[in-house]
Amino acid sequence: MSPPLDTSQAKAGRVISVRGSVVDVAFPPPLPVRNQALRTGVDDQIVLEVHSLLERERVRCIALTPTRGLARGMAVRDTGGPLTVPVGEPLLGRMLNVFGETIDRGESLTAGNRADIAYWPIHRPPLPLAERVTRTEIFTTGIKALDLLAPLEAGGKAGLFGGAGVGKTVLITELIHNMVGHYQGISLFCGIGERSREAEELYRDMRDAQVLDHTVMVFGQMNEPPGARFRVGHAALSIAEWFRDQAQRNVLLLIDNIFRYVQSGTEVSELMGRIPSRVGYQPTLATELAELEERICNSQSAAITSVQAVYVPADDLTDPAAAHIFGHLSASIVLSRKRASQGLYPAVDPLQSESKMLTPAIVGERHYRVAQDVRATLAEYEELKDIIAMLGEEELSRSDRATVSRARRLERFLTQPFFTTEHFTGQPGQLVALAQTLDGCERILAGEFADVDEQALYMKGALDG
């Protein structure tokens, strides 16, 4: 799907070589500029994007669709601008791909020649600094570990870091469930390079929860070419920017998984023949990531709040992709494989997770003090684990045994049954207010539950009585 184009300005070129997803095209001067969209193939079904200008009459493109059937000498049409996506209220409740085509088997957005749909380019400059605003408002999620130790910023960017199988997608899905009920803005889910099955399940879950009317879903799945996966994040951001700037509505942007964006950029870089940088990543990693992340910001009228799942290769947080993503975030939630293996879900690592919002001036003295006390207790417990493993808990002093008791109860209290896993666990989900989380932690720190079996605090919501 694409908007009506002024074909009088369009130039014709021809394909001179095809190597997988890399296509070289000859054009008479002046050449189309970088990021310009080209169309070729039968019925213009193959979409190319100009990636580099090689010679006076030759450009190198990356294909955003499969190149099956493309041959040398085929005509190529310059569309005269970058790839565009539809924006507007009719997108609510729909599932789209990188081209703005509906993939939910519903009616096409172009049916009936609708006038309420505009088209915006996927490549747009970030909001100027003079038009941005910063906020000091907490975005509560109802998840104890997040609200206490790494509070999210309204209009900020939060990352969920973890290796394979520690619960990133489950946590993202739970955030959607918890927020979309009381959140008054638009929820925009962007799936980059993830499983098609997860997209289909998420769509059904949103439909069953009757929150689809406030949600837009944009997907570039792992079975699609790297060019499509590399641009789907930009397409989703153009849609989010329309709701922020034109409809003046707050947007909750959930990205699963931002590492796949980096990975698709690596694939594109390799296809273009660039020499890789550190650990095999593309030399333009920082620039490409900044182009995407810096568009997520707040204007005077509305905010874009982003939560991004980040796959961490080999659980190594010093990996260049993870390290570059860290720099753009206001909250970093690290999911621990060790905690997941102990059954402590959500597997949030309390000592590595952090938020720039966790200061007394923003969250208040009480919240800050409780969070610091919880961290200090859990850190002390970590130091005592070696002694316990070698000599046993009986060899600890009385005060150390009390610390271990409090820490183990805090670990279990910070677990929580999720609404999105009810059909797996049989336990009903729990939404916990921040005040209840702080109250429960204070009571445990005071030793009120020293005589209560620690398992009684496991997978519980708020403390009763």
Side-chain angles (χ1 to χ4, degrees):
M1 178 197 307
S2 61
L5 292 162
D6 181 7
T7 53
S8 62
Q9 301 297 318
K11 292 187 298 179
R14 59 185 177 83
V15 175
I16 53 178
S17 75
V18 183
R19 296 182 304 282
S21 291
V22 180
V23 182
D24 286 2
V25 182
F27 273 102
L31 295 177
V33 297
R34 281 191 73 242
N35 295 334
Q36 196 124 314
L38 313 176
R39 287 185 172 264
T40 184
V42 181
D43 298 326
D44 278 357
Q45 288 301 303
I46 297 174
V47 183
L48 311 175
E49 186 178 81
V50 177
H51 209 276
S52 57
L53 282 60
L54 297 180
E55 296 168 2
R56 188 167 170 270
E57 296 187 353
R58 186 160 66 106
V59 295
R60 181 157 288 170
C61 308
I62 197 81
L64 275 62
T65 53
T67 54
R68 189 182 301 111
L70 193 61
R72 290 180 65 187
M74 276 191 170
V76 179
R77 179 170 64 88
D78 178 4
T79 63
L83 192 68
T84 59
V85 288
V87 293
E89 301 283 347
L91 271 64
L92 294 173
R94 304 307 301 270
M95 186 189 282
L96 314 169
N97 63 12
V98 66
F99 308 109
E101 298 166 343
T102 53
I103 52 174
D104 53 11
R105 297 182 182 173
E107 184 185 37
S108 169
L109 291 172
T110 53
N113 202 15
R114 303 173 67 158
D116 54 348
I117 295 179
Y119 286 85
W120 277 20
I122 66 169
H123 298 285
R124 304 184 73 242
L127 205 64
L129 288 175
E131 296 176 26
R132 299 189 188 196
V133 294
T134 54
R135 303 176 182 223
T136 54
E137 185 185 340
I138 297 297
F139 200 86
T140 53
T141 64
I143 299 171
K144 290 183 284 189
L146 265 57
D147 290 343
L148 174 69
L149 300 167
L152 273 55
E153 176 188 1
K157 294 183 276 256
L160 304 176
F161 291 81
V166 293
K168 297 184 301 298
T169 300
V170 171
L171 200 49
I172 281 268
T173 313
E174 184 72 5
L175 284 169
I176 295 172
H177 183 281
N178 290 3
M179 292 174 181
V180 90
H182 66 267
Y183 184 67
Q184 298 304 308
I186 300 298
S187 292
L188 175 56
F189 185 90
C190 176
I192 306 177
E194 290 295 294
R195 303 169 187 85
S196 302
R197 169 184 58 79
E198 289 175 350
E200 193 269 339
E201 285 179 357
L202 181 65
Y203 180 81
R204 273 193 288 113
D205 290 344
M206 302 289 266
R207 185 188 61 201
D208 295 345
Q210 297 182 333
V211 294
L212 207 54
D213 292 344
H214 302 286
T215 307
V216 182
M217 297 186 190
V218 187
F219 287 99
Q221 298 305 104
M222 58 169 56
N223 60 321
E224 297 186 38
R229 286 181 272 122
F230 191 45
R231 291 306 183 208
V232 70
H234 296 84
L237 270 166
S238 289
I239 296 169
E241 286 167 343
W242 186 91
F243 281 108
R244 180 194 67 193
D245 300 338
Q246 301 298 314
Q248 298 189 350
R249 298 179 69 177
N250 290 332
V251 180
L252 175 63
L253 174 64
L254 300 122
I255 303 176
D256 188 9
N257 187 302
I258 196 72
F259 174 79
R260 303 296 176 201
Y261 167 73
V262 173
Q263 198 173 42
S264 59
T266 305
E267 293 176 50
V268 169
S269 183
E270 288 173 352
L271 287 168
M272 302 305 289
R274 290 203 194 106
I275 298 171
S277 183
R278 197 157 55 104
V279 201
Y281 287 106
Q282 65 270 44
T284 51
L285 167 61
T287 309
E288 290 170 358
L289 196 58
E291 281 177 359
L292 191 75
E293 295 280 9
E294 286 306 305
R295 288 175 64 184
I296 305 172
C297 58
N298 307 330
S299 67
Q300 299 282 353
S301 54
I304 299 178
T305 302
S306 173
V307 181
Q308 308 169 9
V310 187
Y311 170 71
V312 181
D315 293 338
D316 178 16
L317 290 170
T318 63
D319 183 87
H324 278 90
I325 294 166
F326 264 121
H328 292 279
L329 305 175
S330 57
S332 305
I333 297 116
V334 178
L335 302 180
S336 157
R337 188 170 303 284
K338 188 176 177 184
R339 293 178 73 81
S341 67
Q342 295 170 333
L344 301 174
Y345 289 104
V348 175
D349 188 323
L351 304 180
Q352 288 189 290
S353 302
E354 60 180 11
S355 170
K356 293 174 183 172
M357 304 300 284
L358 193 57
T359 62
I362 296 174
V363 299
E365 288 287 349
R366 183 193 178 205
H367 184 166
Y368 179 76
R369 175 177 47 77
V370 171
Q372 293 303 99
D373 289 349
V374 167
R375 273 217 182 94
T377 304
L378 294 172
E380 204 171 331
Y381 177 42
E382 281 297 316
E383 291 174 2
L384 292 169
K385 279 181 178 176
D386 287 342
I387 299 173
I388 294 169
M390 287 187 292
L391 304 175
E393 198 170 323
E394 297 76 18
E395 297 300 316
L396 298 177
S397 66
R398 183 179 296 176
S399 64
D400 284 346
R401 282 203 298 272
T403 298
V404 170
S405 169
R406 289 195 298 270
R408 289 181 65 84
R409 281 158 179 76
L410 281 170
E411 281 185 335
R412 278 144 189 80
F413 175 63
L414 290 176
T415 62
Q416 190 168 340
F418 282 172
F419 292 96
T420 50
T421 56
E422 276 183 23
H423 53 294
F424 297 121
T425 63
Q427 287 183 288
Q430 296 279 351
L431 197 69
V432 184
L434 177 58
Q436 293 174 312
T437 303
L438 296 176
D439 180 58
C441 289
E442 281 179 331
R443 291 168 68 186
I444 292 169
L445 288 165
E448 190 177 320
F449 292 87
D451 298 326
V452 176
D453 181 21
E454 61 189 41
Q455 282 304 113
L457 302 175
Y458 179 68
M459 283 298 167
K460 207 174 157 56
L463 295 180
D464 301 317

